[in-house]
Structures are given as structure tokens and as C-alpha cells.
Amino acid sequence: MALLFVLIFMAVRLFNIFLKILNLVYSTGQNAKVPDFLTSEIDETEFQQFKRYNKEKTLLSIYSDFFDTVITLSFLFLIYKKLEEIVSITENPIYNGILFFAAIAIIDFIISLPFSLYDNFSIEKRYGFNTMTPGLYIRDLLKSVALLVIIAGPLLAGSLWILYNISNWWIPLSIGILAVQLLAGWIVPTFIMPLFNKFTPLENDTLRERLETIAKKAGFKAKKIYVMDASKRSKHSNAFFTGIGKSKKIVLFDTLLDRCNEEEIEAIFAHEAGHYVNKDAIKNIVMSSMFLVAITYLLWLFMCSQLVQDYFGVHEKYTVLLYGMILIGALFSLGRGFLNAYSRKVEFRADRYAAEVTGKPENLVSALKKIYKSNMSNLNPHPLYAFFNYSHPTLDERIRELLKFK
């Protein structure tokens, strides 16, 4: 049975790599062309640059996935067992478990660092997206490590205590996971996001009044509309609602203000308001909670079965837990296409709300064209790849639906 899980893990990883290769050939080959609705805005020279950018990004992702798969398999059969022995320096399994996961985090960081650096400071830099300095990259990294120690450390210790002291540990652990999810809605926008970005009130009075009107119609009560200094890291654009209760924020990337006019920003904002009106955030929390509880329960069953202990020769619960997370995670990832299909329906609904509340769907169409163009997005994704990996509809699908409201 354990061998079956390993085979599923390998099959899922290889299938993901196959999808990326399929998408690479389809979207960057000679037959790929500028969609009809963008021919007046993107010339052939620009499109060739789009294809080169997406080709480099996809190839890096394929190399990273392949390398990670090989490394993970070697860890499953060799390294994790040895690491379990190395960290067993005390009689307290909770302390040893913390050392075990800390060591894995360090190893994962070392393995992923070259790919991250090449992505940010080579690909993204050459195509004009990355604006992050090496100093800022290091500061972000140090802050992330500090947060990991301060927040994840106690949570991990508490989880391990439950694991070792409660027989039906999946029940209190599930409750803890749900509580952390709810707290994150307050903690992240209030304390964590300001550590990485500066949020200043929107100064454009006309635009602020437009957005406040949309927010009022949506029933979203936020004290201020903020502009985030996203441009210090990247030229990509976005806008979002975040937080719960008094921590609610309406946030615009400064790059969005530079790229779009007021009517287009209003349309983008109306799309985000549509998510709030449709209670998509709450639905996502409920769905993700059910998903996490199901995984926690399956992990409990998996650990009770002794499959990992017998097949891989590991003994500690924290090691077995990691094996379960890797193998069951691979199994659940097979269903991501259906989850993304639901997500795409959610995005269509938000687009529909934006078209209805502004009365001008062409403004959102114009904004989407600018964003996709400025981000050098893949304009010709393979349908099968998009089904499994796209949480948003393709640009072509979104525009076709929006134009129905004209």
C-alpha cells in the first residue's frame, strides 16, 4: 500500500510536468498567435517577447519540478530516516520534532534558493518586472524567517503535543487549524502585511469617491482605501479587499494606479467588490476548512495504519506525519482541476457584478487587456493545462463573457 502511494506521488508529479511541457509547446510554438481582440494593441515583436518570457518561466518551473521530484524521492527512501536519527538528541519527541521540521525547512530553502534568485534577478529583471534590490530581498527573507520562528514555531510545538498526547488527535488539530484560519484574517492585514509593504491612504479624491461608492453598494465598510507600494518589488498589478471586522482594508497596488485610468480602476475594484458581495471569501474559508479537516482525518488514518513505519523504516510520529503529508497531498492534488473550475465560475460572477454595477463592461475589458499585456501573460494556454492550473478564466473567456453585457 505504501508503494502505491509512492507511485501515485510520482504519477502526479510527472503529470504536472507533462502539462507544463504540453502548455509550453502549445503556447510558445510557431502556431501560437495574438488573439483577435488584441491584434490592435500587441504587435508581432511584442508577442515574440511574450512568448520568450513565458517560455523561460515555464522551463524554469519544469526544471524546478523535476529536481524537486528527484530530491523528494531520495528523501522519502533515504534522507528522512537518517534525519530522524540525527535529531533524536533528547528524550522529548516534541523538541526533536521541532528540530526535524526546522532542518527540513532549511534544506528546502537551500534547494529552492537558486531557482528563486534566477527567477527574480534574471528572468523577471531582464523582462522589466523585478524592481527588488538584493538588499530588499535579504530583508524580506530575514523577516519571513523571523515570522516563521515566532508564529509557526509555537503552532508546530502545539500540534506535536496534540499528536503525541491525544489518541484521536485529528479532532483537536482540526479545531486548531480552523481557529488559525480565522485569526489569520485579522493578524495578516493588521500586523504582517505592514512589515513588508507601506500602506498610504489614497490621495486622489475623485477616484476615492468612485471606489467608496462601489464599496458602499457592496456593503463593505472600510475606514480608508490604501495604496500599497508594490512597485518596490515588482511591476505586476492588482487590487484586493482583505481582513475581517475592524481590520478590513481596501488596497490598490501603486502600479495599478500608474497603468490604468480611473474608470478602469473602478471596474477592477468593482470586480473585487463582486467577490465580497458573493461572499466568496467566506465560501473559500469554508471549502478550505473542509478540505483541511478531510486531510487531517486521512493523515490520522494513514498514521494508524503503520504503512510508513513498516515500509520506510521510520518510527517517530512527526516523521510519519511528514510522509503522510507528502503522499496524501499528492493524492488530493489530482482534484485541483475541479477546484479551479469552481474558482473560475467565481471569477465570472465577480466580472458580471462589475459589469452590472458600473454599467460599462468595456471598462473592465480595457483594464484586463492592459493588465494581461503589461504582465506578459500567456495569451494561448493549452486548455488541459488551464483546466488544472488556472484559478481565473483565460483572457479570451473573460472578454467574451463581458461583451455579452454590452
Side-chain angles (χ1 to χ4, degrees), residues 20-21 23-30 47-63 118-119 123-124 126-127 376-379:
K20 290 181 180 181
I21 295 173
N23 188 55
L24 174 66
V25 174
Y26 183 85
S27 61
T28 65
Q30 293 182 352
F47 185 58
Q48 291 303 318
Q49 187 180 33
F50 278 35
K51 291 203 295 184
R52 287 193 298 271
Y53 172 70
N54 282 284
K55 182 177 182 178
E56 290 192 43
K57 295 283 285 187
T58 304
L59 282 173
L60 180 64
S61 180
I62 291 170
Y63 296 148
Y118 185 78
D119 184 32
I123 298 177
E124 292 290 301
R126 282 188 285 107
Y127 287 91
M376 292 189 188
S377 300
N378 185 354
L379 302 177

Side-chain angles (χ1 to χ4, degrees), residues 385-405:
Y385 178 85
F387 173 78
F388 278 97
N389 293 280
Y390 276 32
S391 60
H392 287 59
T394 63
L395 179 59
D396 179 62
E397 291 170 333
R398 295 182 75 173
I399 288 177
R400 289 182 189 280
E401 285 297 312
L402 283 166
L403 292 181
K404 293 179 181 178
F405 292 94

Side-chain angles (χ1 to χ4, degrees), residues 132-146 195-196 232-233:
M132 185 187 302
T133 63
L136 179 58
Y137 185 88
I138 293 172
R139 288 196 296 273
D140 281 354
L141 184 61
L142 293 175
K143 290 177 184 177
S144 299
V145 171
L195 292 175
F196 294 89
K232 71 180 183 180
R233 291 184 179 83

